Amino acid sequence: MRGTLTGLLAGFLFGLGLCLSGMTSPAVVQGFLDVAGAWNPALLFVMAGGVAVTFVGYRFLVPKSKPLWASRFSLPTATRIDTPLLAGAAIFGIGWGLAGYCPGPAVVSLASGRIAVVVFVLSMLVGMILVRWMRSGSRASMPSLAAEENR
Amino acid sequence: MHPFALAAIGGVMIGTSAVLLMALTGCIAGISGIVGGLLPPKPVADRSWRLAFILGLVAAPAALRTFSGDVLIGPPTVGTPVLIAAGLLVGIGTALGGGCTSGHGICGISRLSVRSVVAVVTFIAAGVLTVFVTRHVLGA
């Protein structure tokens, strides 16, 4: 129950941050990626603010042996720079540039009630399921795909 | 307020959310991972906080509408066929690469994860190249 309430509060705060920062407007995100056009650095300010707080906050948590309400910190263990990481990031970047949506802002934008956003999110879920399905079937032959992920 | 000031404040809120989630539940605030964990073929066991997080995300604009009269959500910039293709690419890419702008971008960089820094540089480069091609080469 505490974990669920934490999730709700964290999601709400995260969503507010995305809306206020302009990241829920695809035009703003694509403006950041459009370095040869009317470049909009807003996304840099979001990253700077987000990383500054998270970096300092995580440092405070490092000496702690476990989170307040769970038995351990669930941190990614993979360290290898492998093909799935590079290919995945590149594929994600292409989709991100095409539509101006990454997963967070897309989910938040569902609240606008626009069918187009629902279509994007459903397509995204299909893409995720495809990879999860492929990975579950090829775990033995492709160990790098089964590596602990940064989630 | 200037958009860049709002952007930084929004970033601080996102960071606060990430620290809160880590301090209390020990989890990374990566949206693609939070969503992905709920999906078949093997959904994870801890689903309730993930569903609650997603509910929180969607509730945020509704709260903004109540207090400021604006949801602050911009319209899509492309048509449905492009949205479908882009959605598939974002889904496949984040699942394969193990993270998105939040998991690799905010949380990974803050953990000084080399994997995440490489992922961020790669997806920003791919995004820049994509926008360059669609806007300045194809002129879409």
Side-chain angles (χ1 to χ4, degrees), chain B residues 14-46:
Chain B
I14 292 167
T16 307
S17 163
V19 175
L20 186 76
L21 199 64
M22 184 59 73
L24 299 183
T25 69
C27 296
I28 295 271
I31 311 298
S32 60
I34 291 173
V35 173
L38 294 167
L39 301 175
K42 288 176 188 158
V44 292
D46 57 335

Side-chain angles (χ1 to χ4, degrees), chain A residues 4 7 10 12 19 24-25 30 34 46 50 54-55 67-69 74 78 80 88-89 91 93-94 102 120 124 132 135 149-151, chain B residues 11 15 17 23-24 26 28 36 39 42 48 52-53 56 72 74 77 87 91 93 95 98 101 103-104 110 115-116 123 127 135-136:
Chain A
T4 308
F12 185 74
C19 290
T24 43
S25 293
Q30 288 175 317
D34 191 9
V46 184
T54 310
F55 181 83
L68 200 57
W69 296 334
S74 312
R80 249 177 46 151
I91 292 168
I94 295 169
C102 50
F120 179 89
M124 181 178 88
R132 290 174 66 82
R135 187 182 283 157
E149 302 289 341
N150 196 7
R151 36 188 71 209
Chain B
S17 163
L24 299 183
I28 295 271
L39 301 175
K42 288 176 188 158
S48 62
F53 191 100
L72 303 175
T77 57
T101 347
H104 278 313
S110 297
R115 254 175 77 85
S116 289
F123 65 62
R135 289 198 177 172
H136 305 288

Side-chain angles (χ1 to χ4, degrees), chain A residues 17-80:
Chain A
L18 285 175
C19 290
L20 284 179
S21 62
M23 296 302 104
T24 43
S25 293
V28 174
V29 174
Q30 288 175 317
F32 168 75
L33 297 173
D34 191 9
V35 291
W39 188 58
N40 179 349
L43 195 142
L44 267 189
F45 288 86
V46 184
M47 288 295 286
V51 168
V53 172
T54 310
F55 181 83
V56 173
Y58 278 8
R59 291 288 92 69
F60 271 103
L61 298 176
V62 165
K64 311 240 183 287
S65 58
K66 66 184 195 66
L68 200 57
W69 296 334
S71 56
R72 63 182 185 92
F73 289 109
S74 312
L75 297 176
T77 52
T79 52
R80 249 177 46 151

Side-chain angles (χ1 to χ4, degrees), chain B residues 62-76:
Chain B
L64 277 176
R65 185 190 286 132
T66 308
F67 290 107
S68 75
D70 189 356
V71 291
L72 303 175
I73 296 176

Side-chain angles (χ1 to χ4, degrees), chain B residues 76-94:
Chain B
T77 57
V78 290
T80 306
V82 179
L83 283 175
I84 292 173
L88 283 171
L89 292 172
V90 168
I92 292 170
T94 55

